[in-house]
Amino acid sequence: MHLDADDEKILNGDYGETRQRMMEILVALGKVFGAEKLVPIASAQVSGASYKTIGKWGLEWLRSLDARVAVPSVLNPIGMDREQWFEMGIDPSFAERQEEVLAAYRRLGIKLECTCTPYYITITGYGDHLAWSESSAVVYANSVIGARTNREGGPSALAAAIVGKTPFYGLHVVENREPQVSVMVEGCDAARGLRTDHFGAIGYLAGKEVGNRIPFFSGIRPNKDQLKSLGAAMAASGAVALFHVDKITPESRVFSFDPGSLETITIETKDVEEVFSSIEVDAVAVGCPHCSPAELERIAALLRGKTTTKPFFIFAARSVVRSNRETVDAIEKSGARVYEDTCMVVSPAMERYAAIMVDSGKALAYVPGMCGAAARIGTIEECVAEATS
Amino acid sequence: MEVIIRARPIAKGTGTGPLLVTDAALSFLSGVDPESGVVIEQGHPLEGRSIADTVLAFPFGKGSTVGSYVMYALQRNGNAPAAIINHEAEPIVAVGAIIAGIPMIDRPEIPFAELKSGTTATVDGTEGSLRMGA
């Protein structure tokens, strides 16, 4: 792998032992993946923020590091809201250890935003190279923004954040971003009912078929929030890190290819309908991935004049909550609770429910395994109706 | 007679110990007990064996990325292997070896089947070599 003079100095230890170790990690990954060089990144998102995940030894390793990040960097969601953990029912000793992990990251210069939607926080543009970790953030950055990132592990994202570069391979290379499979969605128009419009359910189905390939969708016209839902679901039920949507996503016009040369998967309305069930639930949770300002406004509008009859959780990034305080207050007036830093997939607080209704194909895929609860998917309107019925 | 075999350097440093060889992939998370260094994955060919101070040769890593931190834990507890040889390195073990300071090589220019458990071996993870026999 080619290293420039600065990279070599870091590798020689001229900038301290921590940076040297981090460069060794990047060089080793470059070898493993056959990268020809390192490329500068615009931002990083580091996983391994939850104490439950990294444990005592992960925390000790973080504490042994002595350097500051070179680019804007945030964290993955953790198991609790950093301020409202007690009312979430989180054990105080867990909360204490969690704060120790965050303090270790703060010392490295990482912003204590624990979110799967860093694109609402750090400015991310077309063609930017990134080192992001969380699967739904990776697929959004690649597909909806046209930025370039592989799905990083915790230490590799941290190494990239501290060095300010990442190995140039995989989805950083334009030739590797070409569509590999065609997905036709049939019967998807507003006139035929809201459910065919439900991109979480479509993504949940598509991810299972697509696996880790790059799909090219036609027959749908999702907006940004719907693209978010579609991609997050495919990254959960499959391992999709990039998708294109005909005439919608920024790179859909970049590649000239013969759709007939690709394997074609067809998703029909009846397939989507079958994802929906009507099981009894004892809680409702939305915000997987974390809500956008527009989604918060929609929830507030749907809740206006209503009172919740069962626990209703809404999850969003800290700075999104803080800069939309009036909307959040309007939501909470109904009895619903808005939490930051965490979500229904990673918080142990959700384990006390037997069945949870969600508006997310990603949550539908993960809630049964991560929370030990049954999951039911609905549109956001159906979720609000269930929570207030 | 001493044999020197070239390999690709992954994590720097040198380590010497008896070879412990398996043809099965290894997961450090839930596959190895960081408190004892013993392989605990049920049905694994190395189940019940300690990897501490060995030159551990396995084809490649598998399992969760948290396995990298388990390797760090093994090292802090004094139960880490002296060195690691992989057929083909993957990110979990490569990153774990670096953060734990365990010398590591991959792609040794010798068939894995010719590595024999018990033989004393020295891995040079800086230059990329494996020395066996004396």
Side-chain angles (χ1 to χ4, degrees):
Chain A
M1 187 162 70
H2 171 76
L3 297 178
D4 69 21
D6 248 9
D7 300 338
E8 292 284 3
K9 279 187 190 165
I10 296 172
L11 194 59
N12 287 334
D14 294 7
Y15 296 95
E17 196 190 325
T18 295
R19 283 188 186 80
Q20 181 182 26
R21 261 311 144 85
M22 297 298 146
M23 183 58 92
E24 286 169 11
I25 290 176
L26 297 182
V27 169
L29 293 173
K31 280 182 191 168
V32 168
F33 293 110
E36 61 190 55
K37 61 178 181 182
L38 299 176
V39 65
I41 55 167
S43 63
Q45 183 219 17
V46 180
S47 63
S50 173
Y51 181 79
K52 193 175 156 186
T53 312
I54 67 165
K56 177 173 98 165
W57 294 106
L59 173 58
E60 186 155 316
W61 177 66
L62 286 175
R63 282 177 166 164
S64 75
L65 303 178
D66 182 20
R68 304 273 295 178
V69 294
V71 295
S73 303
V74 298
L75 296 169
N76 223 18
I78 56 175
M80 62 181 209
D81 183 299
R82 291 184 57 211
E83 285 172 12
Q84 305 181 87
W85 56 266
F86 190 76
E87 77 158 65
M88 288 184 85
I90 301 291
D91 180 62
S93 65
F94 179 87
E96 193 179 320
R97 289 192 292 264
Q98 181 62 68
E99 278 300 328
E100 287 173 3
V101 174
L102 295 176
Y105 279 117
R106 186 197 286 120
R107 209 172 48 82
L108 302 174
I110 293 180
K111 187 173 179 184
L112 298 192
E113 264 293 357
C114 306
T115 182
C116 48
T117 57
Y119 39 88
Y120 297 145
I121 292 153
T122 60
I123 296 165
T124 305
Y126 182 88
D128 282 356
H129 293 282
L130 315 169
W132 287 11
S133 292
E134 200 277 325
S135 69
S136 79
V138 166
V139 71
Y140 190 95
N142 278 321
S143 314
V144 185
I145 300 173
R148 291 165 198 175
T149 179
N150 292 313
R151 186 179 167 189
E152 299 292 342
S156 70
L158 185 57
I162 286 173
V163 171
K165 293 183 176 180
T166 195
F168 185 70
Y169 71 93
L171 293 178
H172 291 285
V173 182
V174 173
E175 295 80 67
N176 296 337
R177 299 173 63 89
E178 285 192 34
Q180 295 167 330
V181 55
S182 172
V183 181
M184 280 290 309
V185 183
E186 292 186 344
C188 185
D189 59 79
R192 298 179 63 165
L194 272 171
R195 284 188 169 185
T196 48
D197 224 18
H198 198 286
F199 290 93
I202 294 171
Y204 179 80
L205 290 172
K208 291 184 177 183
E209 301 290 326
V210 168
N212 63 356
R213 293 175 291 175
I214 301 171
F216 184 93
F217 281 84
S218 41
I220 52 173
R221 297 196 59 79
N223 65 28
K224 277 193 175 174
D225 284 329
Q226 292 167 332
L227 287 165
K228 174 173 77 170
S229 187
L230 178 70
M234 286 193 290
S237 68
V240 174
L242 165 64
F243 66 96
H244 305 289
V245 179
D246 191 23
K247 297 185 181 66
I248 301 283
T249 55
E251 285 178 312
S252 62
R253 287 180 184 83
V254 169
F255 302 104
S256 57
F257 68 101
D258 170 15
S261 68
L262 298 177
E263 177 194 337
T264 301
I265 294 163
T266 304
I267 294 177
E268 297 176 32
T269 313
K270 67 171 171 51
D271 305 328
V272 179
E273 285 289 335
E274 281 170 10
V275 180
F276 294 84
S277 70
S278 50
I279 57 166
E280 288 284 315
V281 297
D282 49 4
V284 181
V286 302
C288 170
H290 280 165
C291 288
S292 67
E295 288 171 321
L296 288 176
E297 277 166 31
R298 182 132 177 255
I299 296 162
L302 289 167
L303 279 171
R304 188 165 299 137
K306 296 188 173 133
T307 307
T308 55
T309 53
K310 52 175 64 99
F312 186 18
F313 302 96
I314 293 105
F315 300 99
R318 173 169 286 241
S319 49
V320 169
V321 170
R322 308 272 158 129
S323 54
N324 293 274
R325 186 48 80 185
E326 276 181 31
T327 311
V328 168
D329 288 346
I331 291 171
E332 294 200 319
K333 218 171 134 184
S334 70
R337 303 293 293 127
V338 179
Y339 289 124
E340 311 165 341
D341 314 314
T342 187
C343 74
M344 64 282 242
V345 173
V346 296
S347 177
M350 304 305 289
E351 288 165 11
R352 75 183 75 138
Y353 301 107
I356 303 169
M357 185 167 182
V358 297
D359 73 329
S360 153
K362 172 173 178 161
L364 181 71
Y366 283 150
V367 160
M370 305 275 288
C371 310
R376 166 183 163 195
I377 192 172
T379 62
I380 185 64
E381 287 82 2
E382 289 166 343
C383 284
V384 170
E386 181 67 35
T388 58
S389 62
Chain B
M1 187 188 102
E2 192 182 66
V3 195
I4 300 179
I5 296 138
R6 284 196 303 167
R8 189 168 67 156
I10 297 291
K12 70 182 187 187
T14 48
T16 301
L19 272 170
L20 182 62
V21 186
T22 174
D23 58 4
L26 187 64
S27 167
F28 280 87
L29 181 69
S30 78
V32 181
D33 176 16
E35 305 298 328
S36 65
V38 171
V39 175
I40 51 175
E41 181 183 327
Q42 286 197 354
H44 195 282
L46 296 183
E47 186 183 355
R49 300 284 295 270
S50 170
I51 62 170
D53 303 319
T54 66
V55 171
L56 180 63
F58 57 103
F60 40 80
K62 61 172 182 178
S64 164
T65 54
V66 181
S68 302
Y69 300 118
V70 175
M71 293 171 71
Y72 182 76
L74 282 165
Q75 186 263 337
R76 294 303 307 270
N77 289 331
N79 295 322
I84 290 173
I85 304 170
N86 271 184
H87 177 65
E88 189 71 40
E90 53 64 61
I92 302 165
V93 175
V95 168
I98 291 167
I99 69 177
I102 303 168
M104 175 174 172
I105 53 173
D106 78 344
R107 300 183 181 175
E109 291 180 352
I110 180 177
F112 239 63
E114 290 180 26
L115 299 176
K116 298 287 176 228
S117 285
T119 310
T120 300
T122 298
V123 163
D124 183 337
T126 309
E127 296 300 324
S129 71
L130 167 64
R131 280 191 292 138
M132 288 190 299

